[in-house]
Amino acid sequence: MRQYKQLLLANKAWSAEIIEESADFFQRQLVGQNPEFLWIGCSDSRVSPEQMTMTPPGGMFIHRNIANLVNDDDMNLMSVLQYAVDVLGVRHIIICGHYACGGIRATLDGGTNGAVDDWLSTARSVLHDHADEIDAQPDREQKVNRLVEVNVRDQLIRLARTATIQGAFARGQEVLLHGWVYDIRDGLIKPMMEIDSKTVLEEVGRPDKVLV
C-alpha cells in the first residue's frame, strides 16, 4: 500500500476512536480554540510538540521552522505571534530547541545554499556571538549541543524584543517566555530560562549547560 494512503486510513481510525471516547469531541472543536501556550519549535520530523507534552487538540498554538529561529522579517512567525498574544491571549510562549538539530549542525558545518543558507544566517549570527564557548567544547557533538542551547537563549531574547511582546508587557498582559531544550536521547524536555516583563534583557547571561 502506498504510504500516503496509510495516513488516510490512520486518520479514519483516529477519528473513530476519538468519537467513541467522546461523541461530541469534534462539535466542541467548532466552538473555537483557547490555548494557553504558543510553541515555537523546530520543523524536525522527530519532534512532535503535542505528542511529547500530551497536549490535546486546541491546547497549544504551534509554529515551527528550521532551527526554531525568530526573525522580525518572518511574517509567518510575526503573524502567528501577534494572533497568539493579541487575539488568543496565550500566557506562555515556549521556544524549544532540540539535541541533534539538523539546522544547527548545518550552521556549524556550512555547505548550505539557496533558501536554507539564507534562513540560517540568523543561526550563524548566534554562532559568531558565542564562538568562544562553542570552540571551547571538546568535540563536535558537544559543540552542536551548546549551540542548540545558546541559540534558544538568543532567540528568546529576540522574541522578547518584538513589538508584539513589548506591547503586551507595556499594557500589563501576563506573558511568560520560556526557553527549553528537548533531548531526543531520552524524550525529556529540559527547561533553561524564563523571561518576563521585569527581565532586563541586556543582563541575560548564557544559560547553564543542560545537554551533556
Side-chain angles (χ1 to χ4, degrees):
M1 180 181 294
R2 294 184 181 274
Q3 291 179 345
Y4 76 88
K5 290 185 178 180
Q6 182 62 39
L7 296 179
L8 298 174
L9 288 175
N11 170 250
K12 289 181 180 179
W14 171 78
S15 176
E17 181 179 348
I18 291 293
I19 292 172
E20 183 176 352
E21 292 178 358
S22 178
D24 66 342
F25 178 86
F26 292 108
Q27 290 299 315
R28 287 187 280 111
Q29 297 300 302
L30 293 173
V31 175
Q33 56 179 328
N34 187 33
E36 287 197 22
F37 307 97
L38 168 60
W39 177 286
I40 301 172
C42 183
S43 300
D44 194 298
S45 62
R46 299 166 295 178
V47 182
S48 175
E50 291 171 312
Q51 185 176 21
M52 74 172 74
T53 60
M54 297 182 70
T55 302
M60 186 181 291
F61 207 52
I62 296 176
H63 175 86
R64 300 171 71 179
N65 62 54
I66 293 175
N68 42 270
L69 301 179
V70 175
N71 292 311
D72 286 336
D73 58 355
D74 178 3
M75 290 299 101
N76 190 344
L77 173 55
M78 291 301 107
S79 60
V80 166
L81 179 64
Q82 181 184 4
Y83 188 78
V85 173
D86 294 351
V87 179
L88 297 177
V90 299
R91 298 176 60 194
H92 301 275
I93 303 177
I94 300 157
I95 294 183
C96 188
H98 68 96
Y99 164 77
C101 177
I104 294 300
R105 288 187 184 277
T107 300
L108 276 170
D109 296 344
T112 55
N113 54 57
V116 171
D117 190 63
D118 292 341
W119 177 254
L120 290 178
S121 63
T122 298
R124 286 195 294 272
S125 295
V126 176
L127 176 60
H128 178 268
D129 291 343
H130 299 274
D132 58 333
E133 186 175 6
I134 303 303
D135 291 342
Q137 301 305 310
D139 56 45
R140 181 174 178 272
E141 182 179 13
Q142 293 189 55
K143 291 179 192 295
V144 172
N145 285 355
R146 191 53 179 159
L147 185 53
V148 164
E149 294 170 349
V150 295
N151 181 58
V152 169
R153 180 258 185 202
D154 284 16
Q155 303 315 310
L156 203 67
I157 292 175
R158 291 171 70 95
L159 177 67
R161 287 181 169 143
T162 61
T164 295
I165 297 301
Q166 287 297 308
F169 286 164
R171 61 179 175 265
Q173 183 174 343
E174 184 181 356
V175 182
L176 185 60
L177 313 183
H178 307 265
W180 293 355
V181 178
Y182 171 68
D183 193 340
I184 64 173
R185 297 170 298 184
D186 58 18
L188 295 177
I189 296 172
K190 300 172 182 180
M192 290 195 307
M193 57 187 297
E194 293 181 353
I195 290 176
D196 61 20
S197 60
K198 297 182 178 63
T199 303
V200 180
L201 298 179
E202 292 75 18
E203 297 178 1
V204 176
R206 292 173 178 172
D208 293 334
K209 292 178 67 174
V210 298
L211 296 180
V212 293

